[in-house]
């Protein structure tokens, strides 16, 4: 970790030496500090934050490796053993980016295998997920070092095919989770309104829906004014199709046939999908190249670094949200944490002759309240009686069962590394002449079309959730 944190300071020998020593002291302690500084949050929350921090550092390091300065430093540190060149000429950090993200991806795949089948923190292997941060960081750094010893042809194949496929799967999974969020949010608000008859929740539901529609409309108008002038046929088509899509899903959400089979469908879900897909479209047209004079942001002075920072922040937030949702909402992928289990018994026909105790009933009630959203996950941490007689660590909210599937969690992080690598390397040729600046992230027609098509796919996915109960009613009968 210290070596990674001190890499940008190698150009200044004196400062680099001092800071590398200081940074090395923060390596293994960083994630432990995150876990201990979370206050009342449980192990599951702190662990996810720590892994997200590692992904963030890995992504920043990959971004730095796109600069010719970093490549020259790398070649110097490896005594010219590593030479970053491609058959078509210099590609700067293309291979380095894929090596670094491959290392973190391999790290997560190894942990996905090691933690397969872990269902509670009582399993000794659970400590691999929530502890041993020093050895895990050392292993991550070792994978990075070893990745630079692998021949270039492997990473040319990995980057062009495997990483690209993994990145697309990550995008698709994120869109599925977004549609799930739209339905979950609307149903949560409706349940609150029905159970409490609260005007506050009515205002929240109506206000958020109206606000998201106004946001979608405002972004559409801005796109037409700034990005759809002259001969910008691609932008005009993308913006118009997006507008037709979100008008269409709004009408479909309140259609009588849809309402008959799913009374909870409505404009709230459509608003979430509309505002996100409109943002995706706006991001696509605002990050495309300016060869056809369709992107005034590139010509505006002072917007380059701002757009790069904003793009990086949005990317990291998307990764964090997707992994968090995948960790907590993975029932469809084999995680049955919410199921009620009877104690194992050799005789499968043995009758239950003992009623659950007060503590078991209380724990079950808390679990149900957390799953329904009535209480935060930290409510599971109030089990003070066990803490006095148990060897488990404080704030362990996974004594009875894990809050998420560990293996799926690491698989999602592996896919995230593939997406980060594909996004960072999508425009290395366009930025090859920019020797004095950091490379832009996603400023290519490829990246723009990925976002546009992702928005269309998200619309289609949401439309399917509306029409599926109408077309296949027997599959959705309660």
């Amino acid at each position: 970790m210290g070596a990674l944190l001190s890499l940008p300071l190698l150009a200044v020998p004196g400062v680099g030496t001092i800071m590398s020593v200081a940074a090395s002291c923060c390596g293994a302690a960083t994630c432990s500090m995150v876990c201990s500084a979370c206050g009342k949050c449980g192990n599951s929350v702190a662990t996810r934050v720590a892994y997200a921090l590692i992904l963030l550092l890995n992504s920043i390091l990959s971004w730095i490796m796109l600069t010719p300065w970093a490549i020259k430093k790398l070649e110097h540190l490896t005594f010219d053993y590593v030479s970053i060149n491609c058959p078509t000429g210099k590609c700067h950090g293309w291979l380095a980016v894929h090596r670094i993200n491959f290392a973190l991806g391999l790290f997560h795949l190894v942990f996905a295998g090691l933690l397969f089948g872990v269902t509670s923190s009582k399993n000794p292997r659970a400590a691999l997920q929530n502890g041993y941060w020093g050895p895990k960081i050392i292993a991550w750094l070792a994978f990075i070092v070893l990745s630079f010893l692998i021949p270039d042809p492997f990473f040319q194949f990995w980057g062009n095919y495997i990483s690209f496929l993994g990145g697309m799967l990550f995008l698709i999974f994120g869109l599925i989770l977004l549609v799930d969020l739209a339905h979950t949010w609307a149903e949560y608000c409706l349940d609150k309104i029905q159970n409490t008859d609260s005007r506050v929740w009515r205002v929240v539901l109506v206000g958020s829906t109206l606000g998201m529609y106004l946001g979608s409309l405002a972004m559409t108008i801005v796109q037409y004014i700034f990005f759809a002038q002259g001969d910008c046929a691609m932008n005009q088509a993308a913006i118009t199709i997006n507008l037709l899509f979100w008008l269409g899903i709004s009408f479909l959400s309140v259609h009588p046939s849809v309402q008959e089979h799913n009374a909870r469908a409505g404009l709230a879900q459509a608003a979430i999908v509309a505002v996100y897909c409109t943002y995706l479209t706006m991001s696509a047209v605002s990050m495309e190249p300016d060869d056809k004079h369709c992107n005034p942001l590139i010509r505006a002075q002072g917007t380059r670094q701002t757009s790069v920072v904003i793009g990086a922040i949005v990317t990291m937030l998307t990764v964090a949200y997707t992994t968090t949702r995948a960790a907590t909402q993975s029932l469809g992928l084999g995680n049955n944490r919410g199921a009620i289990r009877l104690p194992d018994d050799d005789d499968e026909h043995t009758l239950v002759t003992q009623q659950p105790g007060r503590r078991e009933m209380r724990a079950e009630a808390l679990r149900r309240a957390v799953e329904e959203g009535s209480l935060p996950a930290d409510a599971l941490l109030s089990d003070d009686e066990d803490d006095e007689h148990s060897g488990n660590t404080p704030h362990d909210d996974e004594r009875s069962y894990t809050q998420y599937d560990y293996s799926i969690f690491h698989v999602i992080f592996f896919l995230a590394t593939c997406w980060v690598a594909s996004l960072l390397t999508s425009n290395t040729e366009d930025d090859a002449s920019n020797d004095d600046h950091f490379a832009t992230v996603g400023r290519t027609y490829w990246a723009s079309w990925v976002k546009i098509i992702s928005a269309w796919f998200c619309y289609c996915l949401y439309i399917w959730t509306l029409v599926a109960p109408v077309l296949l009613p027997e599959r959705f009968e309660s």
Side-chain angles (χ1 to χ4, degrees), residues 263-344:
R264 289 177 172 249
L267 295 179
Q269 298 95 319
I272 294 177
V273 175
V275 72
Y276 178 76
C277 292
T278 303
Y279 159 76
L280 273 183
T281 305
M282 187 172 182
S283 175
V285 299
S286 64
M287 289 297 290
E288 68 179 17
D290 194 39
D291 55 335
K292 298 180 181 179
H293 300 284
C294 296
N295 192 348
L297 289 182
I298 296 181
R299 298 192 298 274
Q301 295 183 355
T303 60
R304 176 183 173 86
Q305 294 302 324
T306 302
S307 63
V308 168
V309 172
I310 292 176
I313 292 175
V314 171
T315 300
M316 290 303 105
L317 288 176
T318 303
V319 172
Y321 166 75
T322 302
T323 52
T324 302
R325 288 289 292 178
T328 57
Q329 300 291 334
S330 54
L331 292 176
L333 297 176
N335 180 13
N336 295 318
R337 300 290 181 264
I340 301 175
R341 298 180 179 86
L342 291 175
D344 294 334

Side-chain angles (χ1 to χ4, degrees), residues 245-261:
F245 258 125
W246 69 260
L247 289 176
I249 63 171
S250 302
F251 171 78
L252 189 61
S253 296
V254 295
H255 191 275
S257 297
V258 173
Q259 289 291 315
E260 179 183 353
H261 291 82

